[in-house]
Amino acid sequence: MSTGSVARSIARSLGCDAASTTSHRQLARVVGPAYRHHRQLSTQSRPALAAPPCTCAQSPARSYSSYPTQPVEQKHGAPQPRRKRTIRDLQANKRKRIPITMLTAHDYPSARFIEAAALPPSSATNGTNEAGSSLPSPSQQPRGIDIALIGDSLAMVACGYPSTTHLTLDEMLYHCRAVARGCKTSLLVADLPFGTYAVSVEDGVRAAVRIIQEGHMDAVKIEGGAEVVPLIKRLTDVGIPVMAHVGLTPQRQAALSGYRVQGKTVASAMKVYDDARAVTEDGGAFAVVLEAIPARLAAWITDRLDAPTIGIGAGKGCDGQVLVQLDMLGVDSDLGAGGKGPRFLKRYANLGQVATDAVREYADEVRGGQFPSEEHTYPISDEAWRGFLEAATTKARS
Ligand SMILES: Nc1nc(=O)c2c([nH]1)NC[C@@H]1CN(c3ccc(C(=O)N[C@@H](CCC(=O)O)C(=O)O)cc3)CN21
Ligand SMILES: CC(C)C(=O)C(=O)O
């Protein structure tokens, strides 16, 4: 692992333009002691990299993923919104070993569920606990979902396509805008759809710019390893933060012969490791999704990368976790594995069953005359009704 590339990765994540051109000494100043000591640190004692303020003179324009801390509103009794999550927060999470939470959203309601989950469970909390002592400030308590992912799995779960490869950039943008309207405090990351970065780096940059500009996202996610490094570099250079995605890459499911666990042989494990290093250290991705790889491999990679890893089917040794929201809510999609879905999936609710039962009950009640009942109908006063009947009868006679 070269310290130059480590520093470049960190500096890129911090949005420092100078990252690709400054000297090692300048980089050491930007990223602090972590840069200088990186190589000597053991995996266990390695304090993850500090994320000092970016010292680049002309950097403010690069900061849409590092929003300045907004003061938390102090409204008595009202739940206090947390401030917007930033890339720096994710790096701090890795350093402090606080797991990063990521969940997909594909429309306004699913975005609102994420936003609502960031509020304290009870708005009764008013800054003191039962003993009267001060609680940590609300902005210090990790809550809710750090990253909302507009993942292209929405092609399958929200649009009914047989694979993610059918989703177009315009369709993705429509979903991004809906999520952005509902989700204000999570970092917003969207997948670059299949095919939008396959022909040239320029195509990829154009697509990513639309995701940021028209989709109102903070960052893009790109599937692939060493082969997408030139694109990741270009994007980080122009100030578009990139989340990488290695291991099982669903956009290539046909080439991988289905949704198969990766990294189970020596050669395959090495490829996952090489790819994860390339996208973060050479490309400058601020984080990397590790999908469907053995837990041991994911933990090992996590310990060796400065960038946070977000696992799906990669065990608890990752810096964070991600699931598809409709999957964890128990809304079935055609995910295979005998209807159970993949092994990595945990269902936290059974919304599919709840919704189906409700639809069936509604249909039965309409046919049975139980719906609508009195409480669902609008009254008119007897006086107005008599008046109307008289007027209508007169009108009919004339
Ligand atoms: N609803 C949904 N959830 C997802 O997590 C998801 C999508 N869609 N679409 C895109 C990809 C596809 N994903 C999948 C789909 C199936 C398996 C699966 O069935 N895996 C097998 C392992 C097969 C093997 O390696 O032999 C499993 O048993 O877990 C894994 C990932 C993850 N992504
Ligand atoms: C499952 C996650 C990581 C994803 O890529 C998606 O939702 O498309």
Side-chain angles (χ1 to χ4, degrees):
M1 186 187 300
S2 98
T3 44
S5 64
V6 170
R8 195 160 55 244
S9 159
I10 302 154
R12 279 177 196 276
S13 299
L14 290 173
C16 298
D17 258 327
S20 47
T21 49
T22 39
S23 71
H24 280 224
R25 194 183 306 147
Q26 285 170 303
L27 283 166
R29 204 178 57 234
V30 170
V31 300
Y35 169 73
R36 293 188 291 274
H37 299 308
H38 177 77
R39 300 198 70 152
Q40 292 97 298
L41 298 169
S42 78
T43 50
Q44 275 317 304
S45 63
R46 169 179 59 77
L49 295 160
C54 179
T55 53
C56 302
Q58 281 122 16
S59 66
R62 299 284 303 273
S63 62
Y64 39 72
S65 281
S66 307
Y67 294 87
T69 304
Q70 293 153 6
V72 173
E73 278 179 55
Q74 296 291 342
K75 282 189 209 138
H76 276 295
Q80 299 163 346
R82 61 177 186 179
R83 67 170 171 78
K84 172 95 178 177
R85 303 285 91 189
T86 65
I87 289 173
R88 188 174 297 180
D89 292 327
L90 307 179
Q91 292 165 336
N93 276 33
K94 175 157 186 148
R95 187 174 66 245
K96 298 180 194 160
R97 298 182 185 274
I98 300 170
I100 296 163
T101 54
M102 176 156 119
L103 189 63
T104 72
H106 61 248
D107 57 11
Y108 186 69
S110 57
R112 298 258 305 205
F113 294 150
I114 286 179
E115 196 58 38
L119 293 172
S122 158
S123 53
T125 313
N126 63 2
T128 55
N129 61 20
E130 279 164 12
S133 66
S134 267
L135 293 170
S137 105
S139 60
Q140 289 167 357
Q141 296 167 13
R143 284 196 307 254
I145 298 297
D146 296 311
I147 309 171
L149 174 69
I150 300 73
D152 60 4
S153 63
L154 73 84
M156 297 165 82
V157 299
C159 305
Y161 288 135
S163 88
T164 60
T165 55
H166 291 229
L167 192 79
T168 66
L169 179 58
D170 285 322
E171 289 171 314
M172 177 53 107
L173 289 168
Y174 170 84
H175 287 271
C176 287
R177 286 192 295 270
V179 172
R181 286 191 287 265
C183 195
K184 300 297 181 195
T185 65
S186 302
L187 191 72
L188 299 175
V189 181
D191 268 316
L192 275 191
F194 173 79
T196 58
Y197 54 100
V199 178
S200 69
V201 166
E202 284 67 30
D203 280 351
V205 173
R206 266 190 284 272
V209 166
R210 290 192 68 194
I211 294 271
I212 304 294
Q213 202 163 51
E214 300 172 42
H216 308 144
M217 296 288 105
D218 299 310
V220 298
K221 177 160 83 60
I222 297 174
E223 289 184 14
E227 74 285 0
V228 292
V229 165
L231 174 58
I232 300 178
K233 265 191 183 151
R234 274 288 295 280
L235 291 173
T236 51
D237 279 346
V238 300
I240 297 178
V242 176
M243 176 179 280
H245 182 156
V246 305
L248 193 171
T249 46
Q251 290 179 4
R252 293 161 204 225
Q253 56 102 4
L256 295 171
S257 303
Y259 300 118
R260 309 182 70 81
V261 176
Q262 304 293 301
K264 290 179 83 164
T265 64
V266 174
S268 174
M270 193 59 73
K271 174 165 171 31
V272 176
Y273 176 46
D274 286 343
D275 280 344
R277 267 184 16 171
V279 292
T280 53
E281 293 173 11
D282 303 338
F286 70 85
V288 56
V289 168
L290 303 178
E291 177 160 352
I293 64 170
R296 272 177 167 180
L297 175 63
W300 193 90
I301 291 173
T302 299
D303 280 345
R304 278 159 187 80
L305 295 187
D306 296 321
T309 61
I310 316 275
I312 174 164
K316 63 164 77 176
C318 298
D319 295 307
Q321 299 294 327
V322 57
L323 280 179
V324 172
Q325 187 175 156
L326 282 174
D327 290 349
M328 56 84 79
L329 291 178
V331 179
D332 281 341
S333 53
D334 305 320
L335 256 182
K340 290 200 318 303
R343 180 185 168 97
F344 60 69
L345 176 57
K346 177 170 176 183
R347 290 194 170 81
Y348 288 82
N350 201 351
L351 281 204
Q353 195 59 55
V354 171
T356 309
D357 289 349
V359 171
R360 197 172 282 134
E361 193 177 340
Y362 160 73
D364 290 347
E365 287 202 1
V366 169
R367 290 202 182 87
Q370 294 102 322
F371 179 84
S373 64
E374 197 66 31
E375 62 186 302
H376 305 113
T377 49
Y378 303 100
I380 181 172
S381 71
D382 290 345
E383 194 192 342
W385 185 240
R386 272 195 304 274
F388 166 74
L389 286 180
E390 258 167 46
T393 327
T394 315
K395 201 175 189 175
R397 275 199 299 266
S398 64

